[in-house]
Amino acid sequence: MTETARDLIDGTLFVDEPGAGRVWGIGRTWKASFGHDGFAYVPFFGSDAPRSFPVSFDLDSVTVGGESIEIAGAPTAAIDGETVHLDRGALVETYHLALDSVEQTFVFHELPAGAGDIVLHLDVDTDLAARAVGAGKELKNTQSKGEYGKDSAF
């Protein structure tokens, strides 16, 4: 019995760096792009979806204890196995890639003692409808929905 292309795709996580500081990842239910303009996630809504519905995330600002932290714009993506890093100077956006999910974390190189609350502001661009759900956002259209936030997935 031979494997079909779908069988190969369904069981394999693909990560590639085609150049110009951009990285692409493809899982079973998503594809994503990482580069100077941030992170773009494209959920797979099925073969009958009229088109793709990307969701772009770009880190706009960070405050720690109410004080602004300077972040570097236009990061270059770097691959470490199944993890992608966008170095922003004071912090690194880290993306852990898996077949059915992408986990986004933020790793600070250093925080001031007694720093206080960390607040991250992300610019999000999408054609999907968004509404607040718990500590995150629900993004949906007529084909499907997903959530962005703690312990969420498309």
Side-chain angles (χ1 to χ4, degrees):
M1 177 181 226
T2 63
E3 291 181 299
T4 66
R6 184 80 248 166
D7 291 334
L8 290 172
I9 290 171
D10 283 347
T12 305
L13 174 68
F14 294 96
V15 183
D16 188 29
E17 188 171 12
R22 176 141 324 266
V23 170
W24 280 92
I26 301 174
R28 189 184 341 245
T29 58
W30 59 269
K31 66 181 176 181
S33 171
F34 310 85
H36 67 278
D37 52 353
F39 162 58
Y41 179 87
V42 184
F44 179 65
F45 284 156
S47 57
D48 62 338
R51 63 180 180 83
S52 294
F53 293 90
V55 183
S56 298
F57 300 87
D58 188 31
L59 183 61
D60 181 54
S61 65
V62 178
T63 60
V64 178
E67 298 293 323
S68 290
I69 299 293
E70 187 172 334
I71 56 172
T76 299
I79 302 171
D80 179 13
E82 295 177 348
T83 302
V84 178
H85 304 282
L86 297 177
D87 192 336
R88 298 287 192 155
L91 68 124
V92 177
E93 293 178 52
T94 301
Y95 298 89
H96 306 279
L97 311 181
L99 274 176
D100 294 313
S101 65
V102 176
E103 180 184 8
Q104 179 187 42
T105 60
F106 299 89
V107 180
F108 287 80
H109 296 295
E110 186 177 324
L111 289 172
D117 291 339
I118 297 171
V119 179
L120 302 141
H121 181 264
L122 296 168
D123 283 333
V124 179
D125 185 32
T126 184
D127 289 338
L128 297 171
R131 72 179 182 100
V133 175
K137 296 282 187 189
E138 177 185 73
L139 304 169
K140 69 178 189 171
N141 65 11
T142 58
Q143 280 76 38
S144 191
K145 69 178 180 179
E147 290 185 15
Y148 175 82
K150 185 173 172 57
D151 300 326
S152 61
F154 275 87

